[in-house]
């Protein structure tokens, strides 16, 4: 076997040197979330005056993303399948674009060259004895993009936690930039009494021994707090954060009863504080794997008692879930919601739970609504939906008629809106026998 050390020095460059490989018109894929390489992003942004029409493809982007700033759009056009605080405004102001896509599908789009990749910018750990670097906090689409890209540029960071799962050999890296930046930390979402009530209702649906997926936002985090009296829970989740570490340390999460990958936490990316990063570093019980495995409904469905907990912005009276748009403004994206809803529906004893506060905008808008806002898209369809939970209760929609669904959903709407929803003339359709 050849010694990777021989070639290492010849690949070592500064960030500014490395990003010279990027040309106008290229598609550049950004490493995901906390694995986004800050040194490379800053170096690329400094080339704005020289570059035109570089497409920067992303999912979750970390702050501060100079590439997303107003005025950068002629050099860098952001295109993502998920929007957050850094990327939302650009799409709203038509400086950036959004591509609808299930998270689980993304690796296929890269591998099949439906989205050909010119360059990937990623962040990895230093190599092990055999020359393999860990992908660290994010495996998701990164491996597929790296294997499809013409140029692979890695920021090698000694602070990046070394996780089990997949790894990349130094031979596959075109350029290496050694820079030990602090790993981005993401605060646990704040929640109050209302989310706690919703968490308690969710906990009633979770049996001991269940395997959990937890979505993004305050409600999944609150649900974890309500699960502290359960036993032998397991994790097979798109991502997880500090709340899962707390339950593991309390002995509630053991992964002992998982049907597949027993004894192991499975995720496709990780996002939290240094507490999480210390927990996963060199921990053989945590595997960070590609999203086309973790989010594959067929894989998810093999777990008995798979419980998926996600959130939404609004739900109409037939059970259509909008989790990504406020009116016709794109707020986030489908992410893994539908992947896990469908996986749970195939699981023996599985349940998918969409939980949301009953109102928005200080109680002035009902999130249980007659129909979704004009322009809003359906994230989870009424054919896929199972449980909807608000602070007023649980509606089990599976196998229910239109009329039964409307009745169940009105019963968990905020009381101030129930009469309006019940008496709406357009509800005639849902009053079928
Ligand atoms: N009309 C108008 N505004 C609304 C609204 C509605 N129907 N529903 C929510 N809002 C507002 C809220 O008031 C809030 O505004 P604020 O930030 O000014 O308080 C904002 O929209 C966000 O709502 P909130 O419920 O706090 O969002 P969240 O952070 O809990 O995230 C989702 C909820 C649905 C956006 C998020 O879970 C998501 O993106 N889901 C899709 C992807 C997914 O499920 N992935 C899971 C697999 S990992």
């Amino acid at each position: 076997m050849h010694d990777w050390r021989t070639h290492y020095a010849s690949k070592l460059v500064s960030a500014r040197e490395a990003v010279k490989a990027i040309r106008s018109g290229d598609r550049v894929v950004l490493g995901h979330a906390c694995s986004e390489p800050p040194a490379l992003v800053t170096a690329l942004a400094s080339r704005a005056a020289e570059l035109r029409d570089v497409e920067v493809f992303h999912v979750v982007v970390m702050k501060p993303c100079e590439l997303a700033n107003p005025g950068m759009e002629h050099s860098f056009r952001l295109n993502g399948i998920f929007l957050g605080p850094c990327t939302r405004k650009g799409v709203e102001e038509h400086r950036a674009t959004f591509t609808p896509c299930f998270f689980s599908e993304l690796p296929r789009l890269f591998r099949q060259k439906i989205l050909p990749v010119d360059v990937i910018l990623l962040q990895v750990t230093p190599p092990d004895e055999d020359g393999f670097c860990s992908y660290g906090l994010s495996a998701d689409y990164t491996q597929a993009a790296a294997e499809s890209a013409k140029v692979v540029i890695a920021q090698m960071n000694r602070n990046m936690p070394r996780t089990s799962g997949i790894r990349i050999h130094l031979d596959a890296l075109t350029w290496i930039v050694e820079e030990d930046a602090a790993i981005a930390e993401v605060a646990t979402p704040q929640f109050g009494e209302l989310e706690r009530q919703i968490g308690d209702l969710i906990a009633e649906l979770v049996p001991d021994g269940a395997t959990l997926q937890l979505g993004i936002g305050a409600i999944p985090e609150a649900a974890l707090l309500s699960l502290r009296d359960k036993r032998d829970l397991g994790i097979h989740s798109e991502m997880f954060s500090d709340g899962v570490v707390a339950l593991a340390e309390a002995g509630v999460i053991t992964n002992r009863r998982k049907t597949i990958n027993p004894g192991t936490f499975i995720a496709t990316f990780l996002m939290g504080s240094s507490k999480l990063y210390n927990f996963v570093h060199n921990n053989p019980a945590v595997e960070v794997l590609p999203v086309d495995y973790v989010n594959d409904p067929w894989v998810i469905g093999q777990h008995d008692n798979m419980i998926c907990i996600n959130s939404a912005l609004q739900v109409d009276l037939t059970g259509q879930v909008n989790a990504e748009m406020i009116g016709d403004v794109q707020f986030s994206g489908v992410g893994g919601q539908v992947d896990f809803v469908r996986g749970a529906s195939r699981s023996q004893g599985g349940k998918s739970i969409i939980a949301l506060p009953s109102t928005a905008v200080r109680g002035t808008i009902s999130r249980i609504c007659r129909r979704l806002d004009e322009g809003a898209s359906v994230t989870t369809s009424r054919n896929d939906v199972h449980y909807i939970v608000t602070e007023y209760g649980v509606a089990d929609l599976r196998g229910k008629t239109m009329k039964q669904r409307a009745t169940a959903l009105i019963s968990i709407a905020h009381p101030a809106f129930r009469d309006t929803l019940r008496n709406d003339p357009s509800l005639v359709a849902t009053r079928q026998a």
Side-chain angles (χ1 to χ4, degrees):
M1 197 170 149
H2 80 276
D3 191 349
W4 54 265
R5 290 172 188 83
T6 332
H7 305 288
Y8 187 83
S10 67
K11 295 186 177 200
L12 221 49
V13 289
S14 69
R16 289 179 81 94
E17 277 298 314
V19 300
K20 282 186 183 161
I22 296 166
R23 292 179 301 193
S24 290
D26 276 354
R27 172 175 289 119
V28 176
V29 172
L30 270 194
H32 190 216
C34 301
S35 286
E36 186 183 307
L40 302 182
V41 171
T42 303
L44 179 56
S46 75
R47 291 195 59 206
E50 305 154 34
L51 292 168
R52 279 291 170 271
D53 297 325
V54 172
E55 181 185 289
V56 177
F57 199 94
H58 67 86
V59 183
V60 173
V61 172
M62 304 311 283
K63 281 183 191 161
C65 185
E66 303 98 314
L67 302 171
N69 287 346
M72 286 289 207
E73 61 272 20
H74 301 297
S75 309
F76 308 110
R77 188 167 44 83
L78 268 68
N79 178 12
I81 68 163
F82 194 88
L83 303 182
C86 302
T87 46
R88 215 169 268 146
K89 209 141 191 69
V91 173
E92 205 180 324
E93 293 171 356
H94 310 291
R95 294 182 281 106
T97 188
F98 173 81
T99 299
C101 178
F102 296 124
F103 199 9
S104 61
E105 291 269 336
L106 193 51
R108 242 194 307 277
L109 298 193
F110 293 142
R111 287 193 200 282
Q112 294 177 354
K113 308 227 178 295
I114 294 165
L115 295 176
V117 182
D118 295 299
V119 181
I120 175 160
L121 305 179
L122 69 162
Q123 197 170 191
V124 295
T125 65
D128 62 16
E129 272 298 293
D130 299 319
F132 285 99
C133 307
S134 164
Y135 279 96
L137 295 173
S138 192
D140 40 60
Y141 57 83
T142 323
Q143 184 186 40
E147 287 176 5
S148 318
K150 294 178 195 143
V151 177
V152 179
I153 307 177
Q155 176 172 347
M156 192 171 281
N157 186 344
R158 279 181 292 187
N159 297 321
M160 178 56 75
R162 184 180 296 278
T163 58
S164 313
I166 55 164
R167 50 195 197 158
I168 184 165
H169 197 270
L170 281 169
D171 286 351
L173 305 179
T174 318
W175 300 114
I176 300 165
V177 175
E178 287 179 340
E179 198 157 326
D180 298 330
I183 302 297
E185 296 192 34
V186 177
T188 307
Q190 297 297 305
F191 55 83
E193 188 45 37
L194 185 143
E195 287 81 8
R196 263 191 207 103
Q197 284 171 22
I198 295 177
D200 287 347
L201 290 167
I202 292 173
E204 287 174 26
L205 297 170
V206 179
D208 289 338
T211 295
L212 303 177
Q213 173 260 334
L214 300 143
I216 291 173
I219 287 177
E221 210 54 43
L224 278 172
L225 209 62
S226 302
L227 294 173
R228 58 192 177 278
D229 295 327
K230 302 285 175 186
R231 287 164 191 267
D232 285 325
L233 299 179
I235 296 291
H236 180 102
S237 190
E238 179 177 305
M239 58 88 71
F240 68 83
S241 191
D242 295 24
V244 162
V245 178
L247 275 194
E249 287 172 349
V252 176
I253 297 177
T254 62
N255 294 305
R256 208 168 56 85
R257 287 170 61 183
K258 283 178 76 178
T259 325
I260 62 170
N261 302 310
T264 312
F265 295 82
I266 301 286
T268 198
F269 73 100
L270 300 161
M271 209 161 65
S273 74
S274 56
K275 180 181 171 174
L276 172 74
Y277 304 156
N278 292 334
F279 178 78
V280 302
H281 178 59
N282 280 334
N283 183 345
V286 179
E287 287 193 22
V288 184
L289 297 171
V291 69
D292 45 349
Y293 173 80
V294 177
N295 283 28
D296 181 342
W298 181 79
V299 172
I300 298 162
Q302 289 177 54
H303 298 83
D304 290 349
N305 299 314
M306 181 78 215
I307 311 288
C308 300
I309 304 166
N310 291 296
S311 193
L313 296 170
Q314 53 179 182
V315 180
D316 78 9
L317 290 182
T318 72
Q320 301 191 101
V321 175
N322 163 24
E324 59 184 289
M325 294 185 79
I326 297 182
D328 53 11
V329 175
Q330 192 71 41
F331 185 80
S332 56
V334 59
Q337 182 167 122
V338 173
D339 297 330
F340 278 93
V341 165
R342 291 188 173 157
S345 78
R346 294 171 190 197
S347 147
Q348 186 72 37
K351 294 172 188 159
S352 84
I353 300 166
I354 305 280
L356 70 171
S358 64
T359 61
V361 194
R362 295 169 305 283
T364 57
I365 293 176
S366 178
R367 297 211 199 188
I368 304 292
C369 50
R370 175 168 65 96
R371 58 173 74 100
L372 301 183
D373 286 348
E374 194 177 345
S377 66
V378 174
T379 308
T380 291
S381 87
R382 62 191 190 176
N383 311 297
D384 289 308
V385 76
H386 194 178
Y387 289 97
I388 303 290
V389 178
T390 71
E391 69 275 27
Y392 292 101
V394 176
D396 176 359
L397 303 184
R398 178 145 299 162
K400 297 286 195 306
T401 64
M402 300 286 267
K403 183 176 173 182
Q404 289 166 333
R405 284 167 182 240
T407 307
L409 286 165
I410 291 169
S411 78
I412 62 162
H414 190 287
F417 293 96
R418 286 183 199 166
D419 279 347
T420 320
L421 288 167
R422 212 175 276 126
N423 298 327
D424 195 301
S426 67
L427 257 185
V428 171
T430 65
R431 293 216 175 108
Q432 311 153 1

